[in-house]
């Protein structure tokens, strides 16, 4: 029987969902996430659910696509049994780990299974993450031929000493090459950057911005480095081997990125994401920020359907055992209350350029809006028009915006 995690209830072995998931389902889009938990090396800053070859405990990567295909078929049956309407998949995202450590044929096989079970909507966005040194031109052509439309490259930096600190394995000059190959294959391109690495100067960051923009990507994600407990980087900082990230420098780097991206015609649409056009935004990630439905397959993957969230067992070996037993790989789940869903909406939609409708807020919470405008944290004109949209300063102080909004309505909850 499933065990209980501290923050969840047991997940049923048949995956059954409560009737409440049907409420409003026709108006929600449906996506699929596939987690591929394999990495060649473990980056020192990473706390994702990933495993190198020595950490797999005898689990074979060769069987992984077959295991995920079983879960996808299982998932389709769970959703049908729950009485959810038939919905084609609008976005697919393969993340990790490094999905492209698997053969391209494995990724296209899993995508074909998604197509078989649910159908893929016309114009759907189909993305995989990739390390620059994990693909070549032939690999990218095979992805495009199999139905992928977009690739997100983990560039992180263009500066060798920063890449070394992050334990990244690619050479900076590899990035423009793989971007060119992706373009030739007909794929949209996103690049991911990280700022605030210990030892990284503002000049280093500017060099990375220049290199990323020179590739003329359709989309850029730029994340502030977060030192997660239990990582190699956290231990290095604790021992004094590297310096702690500087919050003021983080802010300078963010402001520089915003300025340079805007000059290059890239516009922010979420605190850490910029796109060349509305059409090149990551629609899959937007579905997370706006509370859509998605089935997430693979070890440790988190799904959400109609206010029910569940997460799979973490280790690939445990996942394989569940699949071989033909029971749900979910470990635990939670059914969100209407209040929790509403608060999550406030938290997430105040991060995006489309903003949060003020009608979502209680009267007490709306009373915080004038103060947020006065502090320069949200756009005054937008607020008058009924939406909470953060300014540049508000993006840097996003937690403050949420705290003041939700704190303003405490007496009304």
């Amino acid at each position: 029987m499933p065990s209980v995690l501290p923050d969840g209830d047991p997940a049923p072995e048949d995956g059954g969902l409560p009737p409440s998931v049907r409420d409003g389902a026709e108006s929600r889009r449906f996506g699929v996430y596939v987690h591929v938990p394999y990495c060649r090396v473990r980056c020192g800053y990473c706390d994702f659910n990933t495993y190198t070859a020595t950490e797999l405990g005898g689990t074979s990567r060769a069987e992984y696509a077959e295991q995920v295909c079983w879960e996808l078929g299982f998932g389709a049956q769970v959703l049908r049994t729950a009485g959810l309407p038939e919905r084609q998949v609008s976005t697919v995202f393969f993340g990790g780990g490094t999905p492209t450590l698997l053969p391209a044929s494995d990724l296209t096989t899993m995508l074909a299974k998604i197509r078989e079970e649910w159908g893929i909507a016309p114009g759907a966005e189909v993305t995989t993450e990739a390390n620059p040194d994990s693909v070549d031109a032939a690999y990218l052509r095979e992805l495009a031929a199999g139905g992928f439309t977009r690739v997100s490259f983990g560039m992180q930096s263009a500066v060798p000493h920063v890449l070394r600190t992050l334990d990244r394995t690619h050479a900076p000059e590899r990035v423009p090459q793989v971007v060119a190959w992706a373009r030739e294959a007909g794929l949209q391109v996103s690049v991911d950057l990280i700022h605030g690495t210990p030892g990284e100067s503002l000049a280093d960051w500017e060099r990375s911005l220049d290199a990323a923009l020179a590739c003329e990507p359709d989309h850029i994600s730029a994340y502030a480095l977060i030192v997660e407990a239990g990582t190699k980087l956290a231990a290095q900082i604790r021992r004094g081997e590297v310096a702690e990230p500087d919050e003021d420098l983080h802010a300078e780097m963010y402001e520089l990125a915003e300025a340079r991206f805007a000059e290059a015609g890239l516009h922010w649409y979420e605190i850490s994401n910029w796109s060349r056009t509305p059409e090149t935004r990551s629609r899959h990630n937007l579905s997370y920020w706006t509370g859509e439905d998605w089935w997430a397959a693979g070890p440790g993957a988190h799904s959400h359907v109609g206010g029910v969230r569940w997460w799979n067992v973490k280790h690939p070996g445990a996942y394989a055992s569940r699949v071989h037993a033909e029971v749900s790989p979910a470990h635990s789940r939670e059914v969100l209350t209407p209040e929790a869903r509403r608060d999550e909406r406030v938290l997430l939609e105040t991060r995006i350029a489309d903003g949060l409708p003020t009608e979502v807020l209680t009267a007490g919470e709306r009373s915080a809006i004038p103060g947020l405008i006065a502090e320069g944290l949200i756009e005054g004109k937008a607020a008058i028009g009924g939406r909470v949209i953060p300014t540049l300063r508000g993006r840097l102080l996003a937690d403050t915006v949420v705290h003041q909004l939700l704190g303003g309505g405490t007496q009304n909850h």
Side-chain angles (χ1 to χ4, degrees):
M1 294 296 292
S3 58
V4 181
L5 288 177
D7 57 350
D9 296 319
E13 290 189 344
D14 65 359
L17 295 170
S20 61
V21 299
R22 295 195 293 267
D23 297 341
E26 297 84 357
S27 64
R28 298 192 301 270
R29 289 176 297 176
F30 178 61
V32 175
Y33 173 78
V34 176
H35 187 65
V36 180
Y38 309 119
C39 280
R40 188 170 290 128
V41 299
R42 179 175 295 282
C43 297
Y45 62 92
C46 180
D47 74 336
F48 293 166
N49 189 45
T50 62
Y51 302 84
T52 62
T54 58
E55 297 169 327
L56 288 175
T59 306
S60 171
R61 290 198 321 219
E63 299 172 359
Y64 189 69
E66 181 181 351
Q67 293 164 9
V68 167
C69 284
W70 181 87
E71 186 187 353
L72 293 169
F74 171 82
Q77 183 58 50
V78 166
L79 298 185
R80 283 192 291 269
T81 301
L84 285 158
E86 293 290 330
R87 293 174 293 175
Q88 291 187 313
V89 173
S90 59
T91 63
V92 181
F93 198 101
F94 285 72
T98 310
T100 45
L101 283 184
L102 296 177
S105 58
D106 280 3
L107 301 190
T108 58
T109 292
M110 290 183 277
L111 180 58
K113 181 64 173 177
I114 294 168
R115 186 180 295 112
E116 173 191 332
E117 294 294 345
W118 287 290
I120 293 179
E125 174 193 274
V126 182
T127 304
T128 186
E129 293 180 333
N131 283 349
D133 55 358
S134 67
V135 296
D136 58 21
Y139 192 107
L140 293 165
R141 287 195 299 269
E142 188 171 349
L143 290 182
F148 284 80
T149 65
R150 186 175 181 275
V151 62
S152 180
F153 290 115
M155 175 181 174
Q156 317 311 6
S157 174
V159 180
H161 79 82
V162 175
L163 290 172
R164 283 195 299 272
T165 300
L166 294 173
D167 294 318
R168 303 297 290 180
T169 57
H170 68 272
E173 57 270 19
R174 180 73 174 180
V175 176
Q177 180 66 78
V178 294
V179 169
W181 286 334
R183 291 257 187 246
E184 290 165 7
L187 296 165
Q188 285 187 11
V189 174
S190 177
V191 296
D192 287 358
L193 298 172
I194 291 178
H195 61 82
T197 300
E200 181 183 32
S201 66
L202 193 61
D204 290 332
W205 176 235
E206 187 166 21
R207 180 175 163 189
S208 294
L209 294 174
D210 288 341
L213 290 170
C215 295
E216 298 186 342
D218 303 291
H219 181 281
I220 295 181
S221 298
Y223 301 104
L225 179 69
I226 297 173
V227 180
E228 301 287 0
T231 61
K232 172 186 170 185
L233 181 60
Q236 289 174 314
I237 291 172
R238 189 174 62 250
R239 294 192 298 264
E241 296 170 5
V242 296
E244 268 191 88
D246 182 320
E247 288 190 12
D248 291 336
L249 183 57
H250 268 307
E252 286 186 67
M253 289 176 165
Y254 185 90
E255 291 170 340
L256 179 60
E258 167 62 27
R260 296 301 305 277
F261 294 159
E263 288 171 7
L266 290 152
H267 307 285
W268 86 277
Y269 69 96
E270 190 276 339
I271 286 177
S272 299
N273 290 272
W274 291 257
S275 70
R276 200 162 293 281
T277 68
E279 292 72 30
T280 57
R281 295 176 176 184
S282 172
R283 285 183 272 148
H284 187 84
N285 284 343
L286 273 169
S287 73
Y288 296 156
W289 298 317
T290 55
E292 308 288 358
D293 290 351
W294 64 90
W295 189 283
H302 284 57
S303 299
H304 171 266
V305 175
V308 180
R309 182 180 292 127
W310 66 94
W311 45 97
N312 287 349
V313 291
K314 291 184 70 173
H315 195 277
Y319 177 79
S321 295
R322 295 286 186 98
V323 168
H324 291 151
E326 297 189 349
V327 297
S328 170
H331 185 293
S332 297
R333 80 175 185 189
E334 60 181 339
V335 179
L336 300 172
T337 65
E339 293 77 17
R341 294 181 73 181
R342 206 284 320 214
D343 286 355
E344 282 196 0
R345 185 175 180 188
V346 174
L347 174 69
L348 295 171
E349 292 188 23
T350 53
R351 295 179 59 89
I352 60 178
D354 291 342
L356 172 78
T358 54
E359 64 191 29
V360 172
L361 301 169
T362 67
E365 290 164 346
R366 288 194 294 272
S367 71
I369 288 175
L372 290 168
I373 296 171
E375 292 178 59
L377 295 174
I378 64 172
E379 296 180 6
K381 186 175 179 180
I384 292 168
R387 300 193 83 81
V388 176
I389 299 174
T391 60
L392 175 57
R393 171 175 159 79
R395 284 184 262 161
L396 289 166
L397 297 170
D399 290 346
T400 298
V401 173
V402 172
H403 177 75
Q404 290 194 25
L405 284 173
L406 295 182
T410 301
Q411 69 273 24
N412 295 286
H413 277 239

